[in-house]
Amino acid sequence: MGKYSKQPWKPSAAPLPILKKFKMPHIPKYDGTTDPRDYVTPFTTGVKGNDLTKQEIESVLVKKFRETLMKGALTWYSLLPENSIDSFAELEDSFTKANSGAQKVEKRMEDIFKIKQGDSELLREFVDRFQRERMMLPCVPDNWAAMAFASNLNEKSSESMRRLKECLREFPATTWNNVYNRYITKLRIEEDTITRSQKDERVSSRRAEIEKGQVKQVQTLYGTSSKRLVFKAG
């Protein structure tokens, strides 16, 4: 923040200057799209890792907090009223409440890992349902979708499913496209298996009908011959 810019914290909240020996912790800047608590912890831990007194730490936390923000989070900070913050604890509380929506979004994104394949659900059916339910969630990272799909495949449902899961276990997919390409290959195996099974069922059914018809003909012929013998004997 520039020398002449307004400060959201009161002078009493950060009365000490930042010493030259202080080293800023190397942490990714927070943009307001993830759980704010996951950002505050490494920031405070990194600051406390310096050889500073308790009061010096408090001043650094308050003064350096802005430097680790970007995008929406930085906009929020810039809109804080001047001299409205009395301590870092107050700043942290305000920050966490302001970004609680991101926490809820991230929690909903984790629901992608709850989409599991049923015991009797075919591979095509599971992929279609997985993609439909994914579209109903906030923007799920591609690698999350790949991991969720691979971990929730039910290898008990079919042989092709077992092979696909083994493939993803041996060579983990990092993108959804990679998963989808492997799925297409295994889908052909599943459909070929289903087609052969249906064909075998039709052949068996036809054979059973033929055998049933032959038995009926024999029974009819046998019954007619018996009646003729009885008639002649009479």
Side-chain angles (χ1 to χ4, degrees), residues 47-110:
V47 170
K48 292 176 181 179
N50 286 264
D51 185 19
L52 302 172
T53 66
K54 186 176 180 179
Q55 196 172 21
E56 287 171 339
I57 289 174
E58 178 72 10
S59 292
V60 171
L61 289 173
V62 171
K63 291 180 176 180
K64 288 291 186 178
F65 189 71
R66 178 195 177 280
E67 295 181 16
T68 59
L69 305 179
M70 62 185 293
K71 296 183 179 179
L74 183 57
T75 300
W76 162 81
Y77 185 91
S78 67
L79 294 175
L80 288 172
E82 188 174 3
N83 296 325
S84 62
I85 301 298
D86 286 305
S87 65
F88 180 72
E90 183 179 346
L91 178 60
E92 179 184 354
D93 182 63
S94 179
F95 167 77
T96 302
K97 289 178 179 177
N99 292 280
S100 60
Q103 181 183 344
K104 293 176 182 177
V105 168
E106 187 173 35
K107 190 67 178 174
R108 283 196 61 211
M109 285 166 54
E110 292 175 0

Side-chain angles (χ1 to χ4, degrees), residues 48-194:
K48 292 176 181 179
N50 286 264
D51 185 19
L52 302 172
T53 66
K54 186 176 180 179
Q55 196 172 21
E56 287 171 339
I57 289 174
E58 178 72 10
S59 292
V60 171
L61 289 173
V62 171
K63 291 180 176 180
K64 288 291 186 178
F65 189 71
R66 178 195 177 280
E67 295 181 16
T68 59
L69 305 179
M70 62 185 293
K71 296 183 179 179
L74 183 57
T75 300
W76 162 81
Y77 185 91
S78 67
L79 294 175
L80 288 172
E82 188 174 3
N83 296 325
S84 62
I85 301 298
D86 286 305
S87 65
F88 180 72
E90 183 179 346
L91 178 60
E92 179 184 354
D93 182 63
S94 179
F95 167 77
T96 302
K97 289 178 179 177
N99 292 280
S100 60
Q103 181 183 344
K104 293 176 182 177
V105 168
E106 187 173 35
K107 190 67 178 174
R108 283 196 61 211
M109 285 166 54
E110 292 175 0
D111 287 347
I112 191 77
F113 291 94
K114 297 179 182 178
I115 307 174
K116 301 179 183 293
Q117 183 185 17
D119 289 339
S120 60
E121 191 172 25
L122 298 176
L123 183 53
R124 180 191 290 278
E125 294 171 343
F126 177 52
V127 170
D128 289 345
R129 182 169 65 83
F130 184 89
Q131 294 192 108
R132 286 197 308 271
E133 294 191 29
R134 180 189 177 187
M135 291 175 63
M136 297 173 66
L137 297 173
C139 188
V140 177
D142 206 45
N143 61 323
W144 282 32
M147 286 190 295
F149 180 83
S151 63
N152 290 335
L153 279 172
N154 187 347
E155 52 192 317
K156 296 180 181 179
S157 64
S158 68
E159 177 62 18
S160 61
M161 202 70 62
R162 185 186 65 79
R163 293 179 185 177
L164 177 57
K165 186 145 189 170
E166 283 183 356
C167 176
L168 292 170
R169 190 180 293 135
E170 186 176 358
F171 305 102
T174 56
T175 67
W176 176 249
N177 282 339
N178 187 243
V179 169
Y180 194 81
N181 289 337
R182 296 192 208 181
Y183 145 70
I184 290 297
T185 301
K186 300 304 176 185
L187 177 63
R188 294 194 188 100
I189 296 175
E190 183 179 85
E191 289 183 335
D192 288 346
T193 302
I194 293 174

